[in-house]
Amino acid sequence: MKLCGFEAGLDRPFFLIAGPCVIESEAMALDTAGQLKEITRSLGIPFIYKSSYDKANRSSSKSYRGLGMEQGLAILAKVRKQIGVPVLTDVHEAEDIDAVAAAVDVLQTPAFLCRQTDFIRAVVAAGKPVNIKKGQFLAPHDMKNVVDKAVEAGGKDRILVCERGVSFGYNNLVSDMRSLAIMRETGCPVVFDATHSVQLPGGQGTRSGGQREFVPVLARAAVATGVAGLFMETHPNPDKALSDGPNAWALGRMKNLLQTLKELDSCVKKQGFAEMSLPPN
């Protein structure tokens, strides 16, 4: 799959989608995007900057949602032009799709909305690549139905599917690495979200918690399983982040982690995937 000027797939080095959960300021967005560009360029990792102009799926009405569509999209457009990197953001409402698609390179659908047929079709119809997040309530093989809807809307060769953990009891998510192999059956590049997978949804009452210490654990496991891309939210100071800080990976720690992940990715993909040579059951 051609994505933002590079090839994405299981036969290519992994690409990275990364940035703060939500836009906090123009200065932070530009600085974070610039640092991530330098890190990924030095490692030869294709990079897409991610940040949200609005986060509608908050635990509480008092949670920080972002700067709003007009200001947020203007900042993303500035990141795109000034830093020179492709940008991704999520869109929550059908009426926002056209404006968002005009400002970014990749659209993302929130996990909670993956079963909303009309919404999925509308996002895909905008003509941009779409990263579809698998719902926390969905089995990995059910993503084929979601992709079928997207393809019917004209999205063939423009769809990414993203795993971000599955609900396991209250306020907890688990990641089943088998799901990454199962989601390959959609025919789409598979992305693993290493930061939302360690989230504890609503775990702090009016806020979500998270287990940041497990981000590298799951990221390494996903790369060893075999993925096309990784999604990681990062922040200069996660403890002070206005959204999803408990599960964000510190910007200052990104390079070391990415170095390890690049080596694992190269080793795994060089050897190939034994499971893919087996006859179907």
Side-chain angles (χ1 to χ4, degrees):
M1 173 181 173
K2 192 77 170 178
L3 179 67
C4 300
F6 59 86
E7 292 288 335
L10 203 59
D11 58 344
R12 297 288 188 272
F14 80 88
F15 64 90
L16 177 70
I17 300 170
C21 173
V22 67
I23 299 169
E24 297 183 13
S25 71
E26 179 181 297
M28 195 186 87
L30 290 169
D31 182 62
T32 304
Q35 290 191 56
L36 286 168
K37 178 183 177 180
E38 289 304 311
I39 291 169
T40 53
R41 184 168 60 181
S42 71
L43 295 174
I45 297 172
F47 168 58
I48 300 171
Y49 180 76
K50 180 270 170 186
S51 204
S52 299
Y53 62 88
D54 178 33
K55 296 295 288 186
N57 51 337
R58 301 289 80 195
S59 297
S60 165
S61 61
K62 296 179 177 60
S63 297
Y64 179 74
R65 289 184 53 164
L67 298 175
M69 186 166 74
E70 183 176 354
Q71 188 177 358
L73 292 183
I75 290 172
L76 288 172
K78 193 165 186 177
V79 167
R80 187 187 196 188
K81 182 177 180 180
Q82 188 168 316
I83 306 301
V85 294
V87 297
L88 172 153
T89 196
D90 36 14
V91 58
H92 298 81
E93 303 287 345
E95 56 262 33
D96 294 349
I97 292 171
D98 289 342
V100 177
V104 303
D105 300 280
V106 184
L107 297 169
Q108 180 170 279
T109 60
F112 288 123
L113 299 183
C114 69
R115 290 285 296 270
Q116 295 297 104
T117 301
D118 292 342
F119 178 76
I120 292 293
R121 287 175 172 167
V123 175
V124 170
K128 293 291 178 74
V130 181
N131 186 33
I132 302 179
K133 287 203 162 186
K134 181 180 78 64
Q136 301 92 323
F137 47 84
L138 211 63
H141 53 261
D142 288 335
M143 280 297 284
K144 186 178 184 307
N145 293 328
V146 180
V147 169
D148 286 346
K149 295 174 186 178
V151 171
E152 289 165 5
K156 183 175 170 59
D157 300 324
R158 287 193 286 110
I159 305 302
L160 305 166
V161 291
C162 183
E163 171 64 282
R164 48 106 1 117
V166 64
S167 296
F168 187 77
Y170 298 126
N171 308 117
N172 193 32
L173 299 170
V174 297
S175 293
D176 180 356
M177 293 300 155
R178 293 175 301 176
S179 70
L180 299 173
I182 294 168
M183 285 167 63
R184 294 176 196 156
E185 297 170 8
T186 63
C188 302
V190 177
V191 179
F192 180 69
D193 182 342
T195 46
H196 284 104
S197 292
V198 303
Q199 190 181 62
L200 302 175
Q204 294 182 2
T206 58
R207 300 178 59 192
S208 290
Q211 296 175 306
R212 188 183 306 141
E213 66 272 22
F214 294 127
V215 169
V217 176
L218 293 185
R220 291 192 303 263
V223 169
T225 301
V227 290
L230 281 175
F231 178 111
M232 284 195 283
E233 288 187 338
T234 184
H235 192 280
N237 187 347
D239 290 334
K240 293 187 179 297
L242 299 181
S243 178
D244 276 3
N247 53 264
W249 192 245
L251 181 60
R253 295 176 176 268
M254 283 291 286
K255 186 170 185 178
N256 285 342
L257 177 56
L258 289 172
Q259 286 175 321
T260 298
L261 297 176
K262 182 179 178 180
E263 292 177 19
L264 282 172
D265 182 69
S266 176
C267 178
V268 169
K269 289 176 178 173
K270 180 171 61 178
Q271 297 298 327
F273 301 92
E275 67 273 18
M276 297 179 75
S277 66
L278 297 175
N281 290 329

